[in-house]
Structure formats: C-alpha cells, structure tokens
Amino acid sequence: MDTTRMYEFPVREFFSQPRSLFGPGAYEQAGPEAAALGMRHVLFVTSGLSGTGIVDECKTNFENAGVTVTVYDKVESNPKDYNVMDAYSMFTENECDGFVSIGGGSSHDTAKSARVVAAHDGRNVNEFQGVGVSETLNTPPQIAINTTVGTGAETTPFVVVTDLSSEKAPHKWVGADQAFTPTLAINDPVLCMSQPREYVAFTGFDTIAHASEAYVGRVQHLSCTPLAYKAIELVQSNLRQAVYNPNDYNAMEAMTWAQYIAAQAFSSALLGILHSLSHAVCAYYDIHHGLNNGVGIARVWTYNLPAATEKFADIATAMGEDTRGLNPAEAADKAIDSVIRLARDCGIPENFSSVNPNYAKSEMGRGPFYENRPTKIESDDAELQAMAEHVMEDVCTPGNPRDLTVEAAKEILRDCVYDPMVRKTANGYRQNIWGADPAMGRMTAQRMES
Ligand SMILES: [Fe+2]
C-alpha cells in the first residue's frame, strides 16, 4: 500500500532508551557500575572540563572500583572527525574495553562514534552518517556522565560529527542508529552546576529546541508528545534562574530533567529545520550548537507557525502565556513573543553578526579548516547559498512540519545573520519566500491556468 500521500511518516519507530541514573551523587556510582558491567580498563572521553576537577574526581572513583583509566581529553566543541578517530586509536592502543564520556554532547558523541568505529575495525567515522548505517549493534559499552543541560546525547541514538577531511567538508552530519546508544546514562544535576552561565543559556536553548521540534514535527509520536510539552514548561520556568543563579539546585535539577526528557522525546519524534540550520552554521562557523539554536529558534518557529498553528498555541500555554479567549493563530503568536523574551533575558545575541567575535574565536575549532576563517559572521550570498544547501540535505529536515525550499532556507539564514530578533509574519521575511521559490511559482501558475 502506498501511504505516502496520507502520512509523511506512516510507520513510526520508538527508539529504546538506555538504563539511566538521575540525581545528586549519581556520578559517584559510575565506577562501581563500570566494574559491574565487566569493564577493566576504560577510556575517558572528554574536553577536560578544566577548572572543575570533575575528570580527576571521576578517575579516582573508577580506580577505587578497580577499573584502570586512560584519558582522551582533546574533544572539541562540535566534535570533528579527527577527534573520533584519535579517541578510537587511543582506545585500541591501550587495549581498553569500554568508554566513559564525561561532559556534554561533544564528548558523548565522540565516544558514541568511536564505539561504532571500533565495531567496524577502524573504518573512517564519516562512513557512518545517515540512518541505520552500522552493520552491528555489538559495540563496546559506554557510560555517559552528563554535565550540561542541553544535548541529551547521553541517552539518544544519534551523533553529530563535523567532517573536515572528505571532499564534502565542511559538513556537519547526523548519524542515527541504535548502535550509538550508550549503555548507561548518568545525569547528576550537581555536575551541571559547574557550567559557565553562558553555557547554561546556550544548552538550555538546545533543550527547548529539541522539545519544540519534537512537539510540532511531522512524526507526531504520541509516546513523546507529553515529554516534549513538559520539557518546554520546565525550561520556561527554570532557565532564567539556572543562568543567573547556577547555585540554585532546584532550578538546575529542573533543567537537567528538561534536557533529559526532551532528548527522550526527540529520540523517536525526531527534529526539524532549526537543527538543520544550526548544523549548517556550525559547519562554517564553529560556534556553540545551543547558541545557534537560540539565534534561530524564533525565526524557525515563525516559519513553521502556519503549518502547526495549534501546536504552537499549545507551546504558548506551556510557556506560561495567557491565551484565554484567543484563537489558535493569535495564541501561537504569543509563543514567538515568549521565546524572544526568554532569549533576550538569557543573553542570546540578536543575530549571528552580533555574536561577539572574540567569544566566537574562543569557540573555533583547532583544526586546519578554521584557522583562516573569519570569526565575525557576515555571510555573503554565496555562503548563504552553500549553508542553505547544507540545510536541505540535513537528516533533520524531513521531520519539519513545513516544507522547505533552498530559497526559503537561505532567507531564514539571512534573517538569522543580519536582522533583529523580532516576530514577523511567517512569509514576511525581507525577501518574500513565495516569490523567491521558482517551484512554488510554477505550481501556482499551473493551478491558475487549470
Ligand atoms: Fe541539539
């Protein structure tokens, strides 16, 4: 039966989640858990988390449980293909039998990817982009100790890796496969309290991006909808406090729950073009994924609003807006206003060109591709076109509630780079996206003729 004209996703898959531990002190169980899993020599995969003492503390914890530790601490923000291959080499050279990722999504994704590389005798990680590419689920075990309130990578079956070595570079790709799912996820809100406050803001916007894309997307997985809604409520109620008072345990615990359940939601309900856009900008400018989402979220919600109006009206309610007496379109507008207010309150820049160049520079990758790249984002037409094409081929794009054209993607990107963060009408970008879309123009002309 051809059901493609009835549903974009006629068959929905539920991706099982790993066993997990959540709560203050949970990370102290990691060493004994590793021993119980039969690990004797693990590779820590981390950016180092300098100044926090977390890696050293975890190392002692594992050694006290009788588990030997080798440390790979060169993970970069937006992990690169060479980070994965370096971690894999260290894993094999030291004859390790398990991975322990400590940090945020970059560390977890590096270890998740290195496990799949290890299960395929060291094949290049860039071979594993796309859906279900791994030839085996028999990967080395991984304990993922999370320290941020954003990516949820400690629990998802996804990785995001930047290819800087193939002919497609720079290319930030997504891999989706149960083979990537960690063995044990550990969320300890106390560890999240060590994040710099701008990282709390950025990763918090990654969480609301996950939750909202899972909530409004085409997959509409009913096992995920309530989790996505609850995560939006938690972000609205707690992100400001977590940013400006990271020592507030209750706020950080709520944000840790939000990031965890939002990730469970998008593991099966998938994502949309906010993530596609974020991946494209990250490929060209190596800035923080959550910061990208914070800049893009109001624009993408605005673009998607006419295709998911009632869902965005729900989001307005989740964000605490009073929508009594409003029709769905009026209520949905309030969601946009609310997320702009949250972004401004949390210090998200108005647009990419106003991201502090010095700050962006500190986030730049150390790989050769980025050495001569500008740190201020002022994309010209050719670069906007290249990024728009990157958006179109992203694995997240088909789940978006509204169809996308390369012209519309380019216009949303241009808005993100140069315009102020204000609510517009869905087709009210500087360049009218219907007029910019030759395919839509042809369809309209055909209909008018018939
Ligand atoms: Fe994300």
Side-chain angles (χ1 to χ4, degrees):
M1 186 197 319
D2 180 6
T3 54
T4 56
R5 289 173 66 84
M6 299 163 62
Y7 307 105
E8 290 93 347
F9 292 87
V11 178
R12 296 136 213 230
E13 181 167 1
F14 182 76
F15 284 92
S16 61
Q17 300 290 311
R19 181 172 162 253
S20 84
L21 301 172
F22 189 108
Y27 80 100
E28 294 172 343
Q29 297 183 38
E33 286 284 349
L37 285 165
M39 298 184 193
R40 294 290 171 263
H41 184 171
V42 298
L43 182 72
F44 277 12
V45 178
T46 178
S47 64
L49 303 173
S50 62
T52 66
I54 291 173
V55 174
D56 287 342
E57 204 170 323
C58 287
K59 190 164 184 283
T60 301
N61 175 261
F62 275 71
E63 289 169 347
N64 286 345
V67 181
T68 303
V69 175
T70 295
V71 180
Y72 173 75
D73 60 1
K74 302 287 188 294
V75 174
E76 298 172 20
S77 183
N78 304 311
K80 315 301 184 295
D81 45 11
Y82 52 82
N83 292 143
V84 175
M85 299 312 291
D86 290 349
Y88 160 72
S89 296
M90 194 174 272
F91 178 82
T92 53
E93 286 163 10
N94 289 279
E95 300 181 347
C96 297
D97 53 16
F99 286 88
V100 178
S101 52
I102 307 173
S106 299
S107 297
H108 303 319
D109 284 0
T110 300
K112 288 158 78 174
S113 303
R115 284 166 49 226
V116 170
V117 169
H120 295 81
D121 300 321
R123 277 165 50 187
N124 190 289
V125 66
N126 293 319
E127 295 181 31
F128 298 100
Q129 59 187 288
V131 180
V133 178
S134 176
E135 293 164 8
T136 176
L137 294 178
N138 187 22
T139 56
Q142 177 184 353
I143 296 176
I145 302 173
N146 189 46
T147 67
T148 75
V149 292
T151 67
E154 80 283 358
T155 193
T156 65
F158 308 124
V159 296
V160 189
V161 175
T162 303
D163 168 6
L164 290 180
S165 59
S166 82
E167 71 281 354
K168 295 180 84 175
H171 180 58
K172 190 168 186 178
W173 56 262
V174 176
D177 199 306
Q178 199 78 57
F180 290 123
T181 306
T183 314
L184 174 66
I186 294 183
N187 273 294
D188 188 329
V190 176
L191 296 186
C192 298
M193 294 167 82
S194 67
Q195 295 172 100
R197 69 180 62 210
E198 66 268 31
Y199 275 64
V200 179
F202 298 164
T203 55
F205 268 86
D206 195 22
T207 288
I208 194 169
H210 294 157
S212 62
E213 296 214 281
Y215 194 77
V216 305
R218 283 182 164 151
V219 177
Q220 287 300 298
H221 201 303
L222 296 187
S223 299
C224 304
T225 310
L227 292 177
Y229 187 90
K230 182 65 180 175
I232 295 168
E233 279 187 335
L234 288 170
V235 172
Q236 162 64 24
S237 304
N238 295 279
L239 182 57
R240 292 174 178 86
Q241 179 68 353
V243 169
Y244 292 104
N245 187 5
N247 290 326
D248 181 333
Y249 176 80
N250 291 332
M252 199 61 78
E253 184 189 62
M255 283 304 305
T256 310
W257 273 118
Q259 79 92 28
Y260 178 59
I261 65 174
Q264 295 198 326
F266 87 81
S267 288
S268 298
L270 309 182
L271 295 168
I273 64 168
L274 178 53
H275 270 75
S276 307
L277 180 148
S278 184
H279 297 154
V281 176
C282 273
Y284 283 79
Y285 296 91
D286 197 17
I287 62 175
H288 195 281
H289 171 66
L291 169 59
N292 283 346
N293 287 338
V295 171
I297 194 165
R299 279 88 173 186
V300 171
W301 282 16
T302 300
Y303 179 79
N304 283 336
L305 193 147
T309 308
E310 294 194 357
K311 288 284 182 182
F312 280 106
D314 292 345
I315 288 178
T317 305
M319 297 197 70
E321 297 292 331
D322 183 358
T323 59
R324 288 173 297 179
L326 301 181
N327 65 42
E330 292 167 333
D333 281 348
K334 288 210 161 200
I336 313 288
D337 295 338
S338 193
V339 82
I340 290 173
R341 191 182 317 126
L342 183 65
R344 291 198 169 131
D345 286 352
C346 294
I348 301 296
E350 285 286 305
N351 50 40
F352 286 125
S353 63
S354 60
V355 171
N356 183 330
N358 292 326
Y359 181 75
K361 191 173 185 179
S362 73
E363 289 294 306
M364 297 293 277
R366 296 189 292 271
F369 173 78
Y370 295 106
E371 284 174 3
N372 298 315
R373 295 283 299 157
T375 53
K376 185 168 171 59
I377 303 177
E378 294 177 310
S379 304
D380 60 13
D381 191 71
E383 188 169 271
L384 289 173
Q385 179 74 25
M387 289 198 290
E389 289 170 7
H390 195 294
V391 169
M392 293 303 290
E393 69 169 52
D394 194 290
V395 77
C396 298
T397 296
N400 196 64
R402 180 174 172 182
D403 281 342
L404 188 69
T405 62
V406 70
E407 291 79 10
K410 190 175 169 185
E411 182 53 20
I412 296 169
L413 282 160
R414 192 205 53 72
D415 182 288
C416 288
V417 173
Y418 292 110
D419 281 3
M421 189 187 296
V422 294
R423 175 161 61 82
K424 302 176 177 179
T425 59
N427 293 315
Y429 295 102
R430 188 184 298 170
Q431 186 179 18
N432 183 298
I433 57 173
W434 295 135
D437 179 357
M440 190 61 71
R442 274 196 304 277
M443 286 168 58
T444 305
Q446 285 169 0
R447 285 187 184 166
M448 289 174 70
E449 284 171 13
S450 61

